Amino acid sequence: MENIKRIALLTSGGDSCGMNATIRAITRYAIYNNLEVIGFYEGYKGLLNNDYKMLDLSSVGGIVDRGGTILYSARSEEFKTRKGLQKAVDNLKKNEIDGLIVIGGDGTFKGAHDLHNMGVKVVGIPATIDNDIPGTDYSIGFDTALNVIIDIVSKIRDTASSHDRLFVVEVMGKQSGIIAVNAGVACAVDYIIIPEIEVDLAQIANNIKNHREGKRHILILVAEGAAKASDVASSIKLLAGHEVRVSVLGHIQRGGSPSAMDRILAAEFGRKAVDLLIEGKSDYMTVIKGMKVDGCPIDYMFDNKKEVNKDLYKLAHILSL
Ligand code: F6P
């Protein structure tokens, strides 16, 4: 057990729904354990500028259902430099911070690892709609983003059916098709295009030309990292001669009120992160594996890549026949 008195937290990188619920959980659970809590604004940028506020029970009230992050978020280039890193360490010392909790994705965790190497006690909480952090089944914000996509794609399906149209819908995921595959199954789309698996557009166009009698909508979900929806649409139109419409969902996927799953995960990850610091752990992240919340060395992330579930990808296509 560490004798810690004051911890700090920050949200960094692309925001995700449930970050506020996480801030609330960390703050309240830390106060319950007689710790003081401060929140740095705008991620590592706020840490460099020493821009923070003390968090008490009421400053995190009424935020569990709000998207975005009350601490704001940013990506800081300065923090990646040796000088920037030193400045961050100095500010943590100046404010007598015994442990830091960072909430974000892979870039945020790289920063956490660097801080650890400079002697800072730091724990990470995975929060990214991409859900691409190895070691954890889920990251905060993924489930809400899927639900946002389900909601919009079912609206698109309504109009697609009316007009016997084909829609190409672009979802986020620059490096990974994890969002696209999971949303594709949940939305019962016909084709999923992801960076990890090569597809033959001519084959898809051929299938479209011969699609089942009576089928009045065709949905193609494309991950932004695989191709632009507009390019896929042009090719399909040319090859299949079918009318095509395009919808790019964009940042809508990062907003809204967090789902029940993201709020519960936020509560559990918040508690676990504080417990890890109290236990004296550093360079750890909170994870959930098979519905069990645990801690895992951040190092795991550097040696592993989270793979897209290819079996689920295959199933999506079998079920859409
Ligand atoms: O990392 C999460 C993510 O939402 C990606 O899926 C997306 O490519 C990226 O962030 C976009 O980020 P921004 O618009 O904030 O630069």
Side-chain angles (χ1 to χ4, degrees), residues 51-234:
D51 186 12
Y52 69 86
K53 79 165 187 174
M54 293 297 301
L55 295 174
D56 58 20
L57 294 177
S58 51
S59 53
V60 295
I63 63 167
V64 77
D65 56 348
R66 281 172 51 195
T69 156
I70 59 162
L71 291 176
Y72 314 130
S73 192
R75 294 185 171 103
S76 168
E77 285 308 311
E78 189 189 352
F79 177 71
K80 292 182 189 153
T81 66
R82 182 82 200 167
K83 225 171 121 195
L85 207 54
Q86 188 58 55
K87 209 161 137 191
V89 174
D90 292 345
N91 282 337
L92 287 167
K93 275 202 189 121
K94 194 161 82 187
N95 293 304
E96 297 176 338
I97 305 296
D98 302 310
L100 173 69
I101 297 173
V102 299
I103 306 163
D106 52 356
T108 307
F109 283 12
K110 281 186 191 106
H113 188 65
D114 292 343
L115 283 172
H116 166 82
N117 287 337
M118 304 273 287
V120 174
K121 296 262 187 203
V122 57
V123 166
I125 295 185
T128 161
I129 69 159
D130 292 346
N131 197 28
D132 58 349
I133 307 278
T136 185
D137 293 344
Y138 292 102
S139 58
I140 289 165
F142 176 60
D143 185 60
T144 305
L146 287 184
N147 283 299
V148 169
I149 297 169
I150 288 175
D151 185 41
I152 302 170
V153 171
S154 53
K155 288 173 177 139
I156 290 175
R157 182 192 300 275
D158 291 342
T159 175
S161 295
S162 304
H163 294 272
D164 189 12
R165 271 182 184 149
L166 187 155
F167 267 81
V168 181
V169 181
E170 186 180 309
V171 294
M172 278 188 166
K174 218 175 264 170
Q175 327 277 359
S176 148
I178 294 176
I179 295 178
V181 168
N182 286 272
V185 174
C187 299
V189 303
D190 300 284
Y191 302 97
I192 305 169
I193 301 177
I194 55 173
E196 295 88 340
I197 297 175
E198 227 177 282
V199 289
D200 181 356
L201 284 184
Q203 179 65 53
I204 292 181
N206 201 38
N207 293 349
I208 289 168
K209 275 202 266 184
N210 301 305
H211 72 68
R212 172 162 54 81
E213 192 65 30
K215 191 172 170 75
R216 286 191 56 86
H217 56 255
I218 297 170
L219 301 175
I220 302 179
L221 206 61
V222 54
E224 63 173 336
K228 270 189 184 322
S230 53
D231 293 342
V232 173
S234 312

Side-chain angles (χ1 to χ4, degrees), residues 284-305:
Y284 262 65
M285 60 179 170
T286 61
V287 294
I288 181 162
K289 292 286 265 174
M291 301 316 280
K292 189 178 174 298
V293 171
D294 209 347
C296 162
I298 283 183
D299 260 358
Y300 184 86
M301 193 189 87
F302 303 122
D303 304 330
N304 293 278
K305 182 174 176 352

